[in-house]
Amino acid sequence: MRDVSGTIVGAIVVFAAYYAGLFAVTVLDLPIPGPLVGLCLLLGMLFISPKLEVPTALFVTFPLKHMSLFFVPAVLGVSIYWDDIQANALAIAIAIILTTSLSLGITAWFAQKLFCSKLNKPSSTSQAGGKSE
């Protein structure tokens, strides 16, 4: 019985965040998707109230186990627009390759800068002791 009530609380939290995101995008006329705003609101709710983590996890476990069902609309979209995809295959391939390479390159550069800056920081023991020359 406890799992059922936790699942219901989790469902309320997830759907409240989703619809609050849709509402915020509509009211504020934001140029981003409502579900994305809802996801950010959900993240904020989980940071503010960590007690909601377990009920939310109970609710989202089932959809996450069946994630492949969410790709059915995308596959159907590909089959519907197959002629357009074939006509623009070179442009699509170039766009995918360039954007993937660019995003991976920027991520690698940023990670390298971040890790190098952590490695080059002087430790507190070397600052306290000073150098003996």
Side-chain angles (χ1 to χ4, degrees):
M1 183 65 181
R2 186 170 185 205
D3 285 348
V4 172
S5 63
T7 304
I8 292 171
V9 169
I12 291 169
V13 168
V14 169
F15 286 121
Y18 174 76
Y19 286 113
L22 290 176
F23 180 75
V25 165
T26 303
V27 169
L28 300 173
D29 198 27
L30 298 173
I32 55 177
L36 180 62
V37 173
L39 189 63
C40 292
L41 290 172
L42 178 63
L43 180 65
M45 283 192 292
L46 291 174
F47 274 123
I48 291 170
S49 181
K51 288 187 264 183
L52 294 174
E53 181 183 352
V54 172
T56 304
L58 284 172
F59 174 69
V60 301
T61 301
F62 179 77
L64 287 176
K65 285 182 182 178
H66 303 285
M67 208 53 178
S68 60
L69 292 175
F70 294 116
F71 293 104
V72 171
V75 171
L76 290 175
V78 167
S79 66
I80 291 171
Y81 294 106
W82 186 247
D83 292 333
D84 293 334
I85 291 171
Q86 283 181 325
N88 299 307
L90 181 62
I92 292 171
I94 290 172
I96 290 172
I97 291 168
L98 285 178
T99 57
T100 302
S101 301
L102 185 66
S103 64
L104 285 175
I106 290 172
T107 303
W109 173 81
F110 183 74
Q112 183 180 16
K113 294 290 183 189
L114 183 66
F115 292 138
C116 286
S117 69
K118 284 188 175 186
L119 289 175
N120 293 335
K121 274 189 179 176
S123 64
S124 59
T125 57
S126 65
Q127 288 178 350
K131 291 185 179 179
S132 59
E133 290 182 25

